[in-house]
Amino acid sequence: MVRKTPARGSGANSKRVLFVTHPACAGHKISHHPEQPKRVEAIEAAVLAHYADDAALARTLAHDSAPAGADDAALARFHSAKHIKRLAGLFARVEAAAAAPIFDPRSGRRGPRRTTLSIDEDTAVMPKSRLAARHAASGAMRAVDAVLGGEGFHSAFACVRPPGHHATPTQAMGFCLFNNVGVAALHARAAHGCQRVAVVDVDVHHGNGTEAFFRDDADLFYASFHQAGDDFYPGTGLAAKNDGQSRPGRAPRVVNGARVAGETGTNGNVVNCPLPKGAGIRGVRSSLEDKILPKLQAFEPGLVILSLGFDALAADPIGGLNLDPRDYAYITRAVHDACPGAKFVSVLEGGYDVREISRGAVAHVGELSRLATGASSAERPSRRPRGASVISEMSSGDSWGSEPSDDESDEVSHLVATMSLDSIDGTPLKAAAKEMNMSLDSIADEPPTPPETTLPRRSPRGLSPGELMPPPPAREVARAPPRSLR
């Protein structure tokens, strides 16, 4: 059988990367929850600042900040009609509650407004969640269009939220409402005829939702390295020998829509590499080079989607794989080069330390730019580069917020402190950002300092969103950790 593999682009965009964002993705906000708008705001600000002062580099990256929202037909390729309808009902309830007056003049009563509704212990919706979730899915679809459609971009990165890889075809969970990479993979089939699609998940958590759909389709491939053990969420993606119930004659255990252990897919199209806490880049490199990449090459996909979680970073308050931001440059190139004939897209998943995910994103997109232009991989700099490294240095150390920089006269410091692109309206930085079709070059600064406190293990059960994290004490660097996350 001859497999149709899209050729690398040869037009004007063949040496450019598309950076996809949407302001609606910052609208979804659950109080005292680690999955906050600052995540995408910080990454977008870091990318813009990193390229603002280099016009030559700026020409290698394009920015689309207004992709259209995903419709029900696109979502229904991955999700059940019941799931879409249920979420629509929840969205409608919180939107109606937000629009209702606090005081009812007809009854003369003052009533509470429930503007946040929980789906499970750690996943909830609020009035702006509908737009955020649909634009997160459509942002991933836009990235696919950029590389498989007529524009012919070399690669694309969708910086969107809420994340998606825990959402199964029938259930929202683990901070995720719609499965963005799953919707994007099936959009590649429906809109571009790309039958064989691979997802490589580098989030610290196993993508149970993505695997739940991909395992039964021989033309879809799912691979993941992820932290496992100590009841780490979501409790799936383990090796068969780690499952006490994986015995002949006994049905495999299924949790959160996926097998707890031993999943290989309908045709060897699922590869799981569980890693112990603290595995570091050596463990990740071994998983990729010895297990994931050989299987990925043999699969021969037409499109590779990187499910890009930054919660494997050493400073992340949830994960514990101890990666450095610059390790994401290696991961990006390794996965990209495994299938040189395939198109390449990345979609943001987790990562909850705002400073570190900004640095990781700069490393990732910087490597995409070098791949697009044929440049070799950058060596780790001995000195901190200019540009986004300033944001990496000045931004908050966690996603629950910290005190702003004392140097409010510095434009970049002020941008990071407020974490809003609106703060640079009318400035040279904003003007440069509007003109540029951007690019990334240098990789940001020195290795992060590990967290000072030991955070509790991740439990698959979690707590309600309002209980995940108490309001942070004033001007403290180390935050009191939540009792359980996701």
Side-chain angles (χ1 to χ4, degrees), residues 391-414:
I391 284 190
S392 298
E393 188 68 23
M394 294 296 183
S395 59
S396 75
D398 61 64
S399 63
W400 291 288
S402 60
E403 296 298 322
S405 168
D406 294 330
D407 186 8
E408 294 295 337
S409 63
D410 179 75
E411 182 178 288
V412 174
S413 299
H414 177 68

Side-chain angles (χ1 to χ4, degrees), residues 425-478:
D425 278 333
T427 67
L429 181 57
K430 184 69 173 183
K434 287 181 178 179
E435 289 177 3
M436 71 174 64
N437 290 322
M438 302 164 293
S439 86
L440 295 169
D441 180 38
S442 57
I443 290 184
D445 37 42
E446 58 198 29
T449 302
E452 296 181 4
T453 58
T454 300
L455 293 171
R457 67 188 185 183
R458 293 289 309 280
S459 166
R461 297 183 62 84
L463 295 172
S464 104
E467 298 173 346
L468 280 170
M469 185 69 186
R475 302 191 69 86
E476 285 190 1
V477 175

Side-chain angles (χ1 to χ4, degrees), residues 71-73 75-76 79-93 119 125 130 134 169-172 177-178:
D71 58 19
D72 285 353
L75 299 174
H79 292 287
S80 68
K82 184 177 180 180
H83 174 70
I84 297 170
K85 184 177 180 180
R86 182 188 181 208
L87 278 184
L90 293 175
F91 294 149
R93 286 174 61 186
I119 294 173
V125 297
R130 184 199 303 264
R134 286 183 175 266
T170 60
Q171 181 65 44
L177 301 178
F178 297 122

Side-chain angles (χ1 to χ4, degrees), residues 20-29 35-41 44 65 67 126 128-140 158-163 180 348:
V20 182
T21 63
H22 198 288
C25 290
H28 172 74
K29 182 175 183 180
E35 207 287 290
Q36 287 289 313
K38 280 187 177 183
R39 299 176 61 240
V40 290
E41 291 174 339
E44 186 173 1
S65 60
M126 47 82 67
K128 295 184 180 180
S129 297
R130 184 199 303 264
L131 284 177
R134 286 183 175 266
H135 280 98
S138 70
C159 176
V160 294
R161 62 173 289 275
N180 304 322
L348 182 65

Side-chain angles (χ1 to χ4, degrees), residues 93-449:
R93 286 174 61 186
V94 291
E95 289 164 0
I102 296 177
F103 178 75
D104 186 351
R106 293 174 295 179
S107 64
R109 296 179 180 177
R110 184 183 299 272
R113 297 187 301 173
R114 293 195 63 187
T115 56
T116 300
L117 292 175
S118 294
I119 294 173
D120 61 17
E121 292 89 343
D122 50 22
T123 309
V125 297
M126 47 82 67
K128 295 184 180 180
S129 297
R130 184 199 303 264
L131 284 177
R134 286 183 175 266
H135 280 98
S138 70
M141 292 165 58
R142 173 69 181 99
V144 167
D145 290 338
V147 300
L148 291 178
E151 295 169 288
F153 280 94
H154 169 272
S155 52
F157 170 38
C159 176
V160 294
R161 62 173 289 275
H165 70 152
H166 293 308
T168 73
T170 60
Q171 181 65 44
M173 64 177 70
F175 309 170
C176 305
L177 301 178
F178 297 122
N179 193 303
N180 304 322
V181 296
V183 170
L186 299 183
H187 173 70
R189 280 184 172 179
H192 302 287
C194 182
Q195 185 68 12
R196 295 175 70 82
V197 182
V199 168
V200 178
D201 195 329
V202 300
D203 190 276
V204 79
H205 304 97
H206 178 243
N208 58 294
T210 310
E211 180 185 284
F213 188 101
F214 279 42
R215 66 189 175 201
D216 296 324
D217 189 325
D219 285 330
L220 296 175
F221 176 90
Y222 176 79
S224 171
F225 66 77
H226 46 271
Q227 186 173 328
D230 293 330
D231 295 330
F232 197 72
Y233 189 88
T236 56
L238 305 182
K241 64 181 180 181
N242 293 334
D243 184 8
Q245 296 194 22
S246 294
R247 288 182 279 179
R250 178 172 293 185
R253 294 174 58 202
V254 175
V255 174
N256 294 325
R259 282 189 183 182
V260 170
E263 181 64 77
T264 58
T266 189
N267 191 33
N269 56 318
V270 173
V271 182
N272 284 312
C273 298
L275 294 171
K277 183 177 180 180
I281 189 59
R282 288 187 179 180
V284 168
R285 187 185 291 269
S286 175
S287 295
L288 283 172
E289 296 179 0
D290 297 341
K291 299 177 181 179
I292 293 176
L293 298 184
K295 289 279 191 178
L296 177 64
Q297 289 174 325
F299 180 74
E300 298 182 4
L303 172 68
V304 176
I305 303 178
L306 192 68
S307 229
L308 183 61
F310 291 110
D311 41 6
L313 288 164
D316 193 86
I318 295 177
L321 286 185
N322 290 343
L323 296 189
D324 181 272
R326 293 166 293 184
D327 292 333
Y328 283 87
Y330 156 73
I331 292 170
T332 301
R333 183 172 286 266
V335 176
H336 175 278
D337 286 353
C339 301
K343 289 292 190 175
F344 188 92
V345 161
S346 55
V347 180
L348 182 65
E349 298 288 358
Y352 307 100
D353 182 287
V354 173
R355 178 187 62 193
E356 294 300 281
I357 66 174
S358 300
R359 297 168 63 196
V362 167
H364 167 66
V365 187
E367 198 64 20
L368 287 182
S369 293
R370 281 184 286 276
L371 287 164
T373 57
S376 60
S377 182
E379 297 293 333
R380 288 189 175 185
S382 59
R383 297 181 60 187
R384 186 175 291 116
R386 299 178 62 185
S389 60
V390 178
I391 284 190
S392 298
E393 188 68 23
M394 294 296 183
S395 59
S396 75
D398 61 64
S399 63
W400 291 288
S402 60
E403 296 298 322
S405 168
D406 294 330
D407 186 8
E408 294 295 337
S409 63
D410 179 75
E411 182 178 288
V412 174
S413 299
H414 177 68
L415 165 63
V416 175
T418 59
M419 286 300 169
S420 171
L421 295 179
D422 294 336
S423 63
I424 56 172
D425 278 333
T427 67
L429 181 57
K430 184 69 173 183
K434 287 181 178 179
E435 289 177 3
M436 71 174 64
N437 290 322
M438 302 164 293
S439 86
L440 295 169
D441 180 38
S442 57
I443 290 184
D445 37 42
E446 58 198 29
T449 302

